[in-house]
Amino acid sequence: MKNKASFPPQEGETRPSRCPDNSAFKQQKLPAWKPQLTIATVLSSFFLTGAFCLSVGVYLILSTNSVREIQIDYSDKCSDCSKLRENSSNWNKECHCSVNFMLKEDILGDVFMYYGLQNFYQNHRRYVISRSDAQLLGRNVNIQKSYCAPFTTYRNGTPMAPCGAIANSMFNDTIDLFYNLKSSVIQVPLLKTGNSWWTDKNVKFRNPKSYNLSSAFAGTARPPYWQKPVYLLDEEDERNNGYVNDDFIIWMRVSAFATFRNLYRRLSRIRQFADGLPAGNYTFHISYNFPVTKFKGRKYVILSTVVWSGGSNPFLGIAYVVSGAAATLTGFVITAIHLKLRKKKAYFQK
């Protein structure tokens, strides 16, 4: 087939124009600010940025250094319980261990208790998506269509509540703190509510609607690695039970790194603990349930205070110091280059 010949427009015909309209916007004639970069403005911006970052970084590092923290690794100290948990058939057997430590100085102010895990990878894609957000909102959904597999239903068809690998692997050690006096032993009062984010507690997690929690979860079963159903996570406080349990909510926010810590309890500042933790001998009583030996992990208990910038993590301060040092160094390099070029220009103008 031959191509059609193109003929020029006949007399009286006009070819449509492809030029944009003659407007300020389409002709790029709008008023604009065009900064005139001079050596003074460039150097002042680098040096001011460097001074700001250095000052903020030093302040953050000093604030972080004021955090009081004690970290105790109980992986080996509870070795007997660890060996018991290596065999999955012993899941229903209780195992307890104790860890003694001493505070040489008072820890004043608000004290937070964390549990730490090492070599536990939560950043695998299959693990991260293994949950049903609709189920965690208390909705009646078909979890077979979710990403919870293989932790969706049992062989008899009973659905798991909650479903997914994240929920199934929830940290379930129970940790109590005792203050040892010469004449008595006092259990340190710890708060287990108010530790999660407000948006998680009130927006992202909801229990199914029913006249009581046990009937709300009727027809479901606990995940395989759990020792009790979700509606019995906190038998003492109905408002901290089910999907809105603080420990469960905190665990469901996965970590990006293999070594991480999660908030477990807060010190209730009453009686002799009104000012914080006094110096003396203490004991952690641990109900050991979470196995870590198969993936060569470690477990910690951390007692720490916090400052306005957070806990004992100097990364942000170091980042500011490095950025400030880089900006200041760049300013000096530009200054040296400018002086060298100015001397050459003055030499050739003679």
CSV table of all heavy atoms in Angstrom, one decimal, residues 35-55:
chain,number,residue,atom,x,y,z
A,35,PRO,N,18.4,33.9,43.0
A,35,PRO,CA,19.4,34.3,44.0
A,35,PRO,C,20.8,34.5,43.3
A,35,PRO,O,21.2,33.7,42.4
A,35,PRO,CB,19.5,33.2,45.0
A,35,PRO,CG,18.9,32.0,44.2
A,35,PRO,CD,17.9,32.6,43.3
A,36,GLN,N,21.5,35.5,43.6
A,36,GLN,CA,22.8,35.8,43.1
A,36,GLN,C,23.8,35.2,44.1
A,36,GLN,O,24.0,35.8,45.2
A,36,GLN,CB,23.0,37.3,42.9
A,36,GLN,CG,22.1,37.9,41.9
A,36,GLN,CD,22.2,37.3,40.5
A,36,GLN,OE1,23.4,37.0,40.1
A,36,GLN,NE2,21.1,37.2,39.7
A,37,LEU,N,24.4,34.1,43.8
A,37,LEU,CA,25.3,33.5,44.8
A,37,LEU,C,26.6,34.2,44.7
A,37,LEU,O,27.3,34.2,43.7
A,37,LEU,CB,25.5,32.0,44.4
A,37,LEU,CG,24.2,31.1,44.6
A,37,LEU,CD1,24.5,29.7,44.1
A,37,LEU,CD2,23.7,31.2,46.0
A,38,THR,N,27.0,34.7,45.9
A,38,THR,CA,28.3,35.3,46.0
A,38,THR,C,29.1,34.5,47.0
A,38,THR,O,28.6,33.6,47.7
A,38,THR,CB,28.2,36.8,46.5
A,38,THR,OG1,27.6,36.7,47.8
A,38,THR,CG2,27.4,37.6,45.5
A,39,ILE,N,30.4,34.8,47.1
A,39,ILE,CA,31.3,34.0,48.0
A,39,ILE,C,30.9,34.2,49.4
A,39,ILE,O,31.0,33.3,50.3
A,39,ILE,CB,32.8,34.4,47.7
A,39,ILE,CG1,33.7,33.4,48.5
A,39,ILE,CG2,33.0,35.8,48.1
A,39,ILE,CD1,33.6,32.0,48.1
A,40,ALA,N,30.4,35.4,49.7
A,40,ALA,CA,30.0,35.7,51.1
A,40,ALA,C,28.7,34.9,51.5
A,40,ALA,O,28.7,34.4,52.6
A,40,ALA,CB,29.7,37.2,51.2
A,41,THR,N,27.7,34.9,50.6
A,41,THR,CA,26.5,34.1,51.0
A,41,THR,C,26.8,32.6,51.0
A,41,THR,O,26.2,31.9,51.9
A,41,THR,CB,25.4,34.4,49.9
A,41,THR,OG1,25.9,34.1,48.6
A,41,THR,CG2,25.0,35.9,49.9
A,42,VAL,N,27.6,32.1,50.1
A,42,VAL,CA,27.9,30.7,50.1
A,42,VAL,C,28.6,30.3,51.4
A,42,VAL,O,28.3,29.3,52.1
A,42,VAL,CB,28.7,30.3,48.9
A,42,VAL,CG1,29.2,28.8,49.0
A,42,VAL,CG2,27.8,30.4,47.6
A,43,LEU,N,29.7,31.0,51.7
A,43,LEU,CA,30.5,30.7,52.9
A,43,LEU,C,29.7,30.8,54.2
A,43,LEU,O,29.8,30.0,55.1
A,43,LEU,CB,31.7,31.5,53.0
A,43,LEU,CG,32.8,31.2,51.9
A,43,LEU,CD1,34.0,32.2,52.0
A,43,LEU,CD2,33.3,29.8,52.0
A,44,SER,N,28.9,31.9,54.3
A,44,SER,CA,28.1,32.1,55.5
A,44,SER,C,27.1,31.0,55.7
A,44,SER,O,26.8,30.6,56.8
A,44,SER,CB,27.4,33.5,55.4
A,44,SER,OG,26.5,33.5,54.3
A,45,SER,N,26.4,30.5,54.6
A,45,SER,CA,25.5,29.4,54.7
A,45,SER,C,26.1,28.1,55.2
A,45,SER,O,25.6,27.4,56.0
A,45,SER,CB,24.8,29.2,53.4
A,45,SER,OG,25.7,28.8,52.4
A,46,PHE,N,27.3,27.8,54.7
A,46,PHE,CA,28.0,26.6,55.1
A,46,PHE,C,28.4,26.7,56.6
A,46,PHE,O,28.2,25.8,57.4
A,46,PHE,CB,29.2,26.4,54.2
A,46,PHE,CG,28.9,25.6,53.0
A,46,PHE,CD1,28.8,26.2,51.7
A,46,PHE,CD2,28.7,24.2,53.1
A,46,PHE,CE1,28.6,25.4,50.6
A,46,PHE,CE2,28.5,23.4,52.0
A,46,PHE,CZ,28.4,24.1,50.7
A,47,PHE,N,29.0,27.9,57.0
A,47,PHE,CA,29.5,28.0,58.3
A,47,PHE,C,28.3,28.1,59.3
A,47,PHE,O,28.4,27.5,60.4
A,47,PHE,CB,30.4,29.2,58.5
A,47,PHE,CG,31.8,29.0,57.9
A,47,PHE,CD1,32.2,29.9,56.9
A,47,PHE,CD2,32.6,28.0,58.3
A,47,PHE,CE1,33.5,29.7,56.3
A,47,PHE,CE2,33.9,27.8,57.8
A,47,PHE,CZ,34.3,28.7,56.8
A,48,LEU,N,27.2,28.7,59.0
A,48,LEU,CA,26.1,28.8,59.9
A,48,LEU,C,25.5,27.4,60.0
A,48,LEU,O,25.1,27.0,61.2
A,48,LEU,CB,25.1,29.8,59.4
A,48,LEU,CG,25.4,31.3,59.5
A,48,LEU,CD1,24.4,32.1,58.8
A,48,LEU,CD2,25.6,31.7,61.0
A,49,THR,N,25.3,26.7,58.9
A,49,THR,CA,24.8,25.3,59.0
A,49,THR,C,25.7,24.4,59.8
A,49,THR,O,25.2,23.6,60.7
A,49,THR,CB,24.6,24.7,57.6
A,49,THR,OG1,23.8,25.6,56.8
A,49,THR,CG2,24.1,23.3,57.6
A,50,GLY,N,27.0,24.5,59.7
A,50,GLY,CA,27.9,23.7,60.4
A,50,GLY,C,27.9,24.0,61.9
A,50,GLY,O,27.8,23.1,62.8
A,51,ALA,N,27.8,25.3,62.3
A,51,ALA,CA,27.7,25.7,63.7
A,51,ALA,C,26.4,25.2,64.3
A,51,ALA,O,26.4,24.8,65.4
A,51,ALA,CB,27.8,27.3,63.8
A,52,PHE,N,25.3,25.3,63.6
A,52,PHE,CA,24.0,24.9,64.1
A,52,PHE,C,24.0,23.4,64.3
A,52,PHE,O,23.6,22.9,65.4
A,52,PHE,CB,22.9,25.3,63.1
A,52,PHE,CG,21.6,24.7,63.5
A,52,PHE,CD1,20.8,25.2,64.5
A,52,PHE,CD2,21.1,23.6,62.8
A,52,PHE,CE1,19.6,24.7,64.8
A,52,PHE,CE2,19.8,23.0,63.1
A,52,PHE,CZ,19.1,23.6,64.2
A,53,CYS,N,24.5,22.6,63.3
A,53,CYS,CA,24.5,21.1,63.5
A,53,CYS,C,25.4,20.7,64.6
A,53,CYS,O,25.1,19.8,65.4
A,53,CYS,CB,24.9,20.5,62.2
A,53,CYS,SG,23.6,20.6,60.9
A,54,LEU,N,26.6,21.3,64.7
A,54,LEU,CA,27.5,21.0,65.8
A,54,LEU,C,27.0,21.2,67.1
A,54,LEU,O,27.1,20.4,68.1
A,54,LEU,CB,28.9,21.7,65.5
A,54,LEU,CG,29.8,21.2,64.4
A,54,LEU,CD1,30.9,22.1,64.2
A,54,LEU,CD2,30.3,19.8,64.7
A,55,SER,N,26.3,22.4,67.3
A,55,SER,CA,25.8,22.7,68.6
A,55,SER,C,24.7,21.8,69.0
A,55,SER,O,24.6,21.3,70.2
A,55,SER,CB,25.3,24.2,68.6
A,55,SER,OG,24.4,24.4,67.6
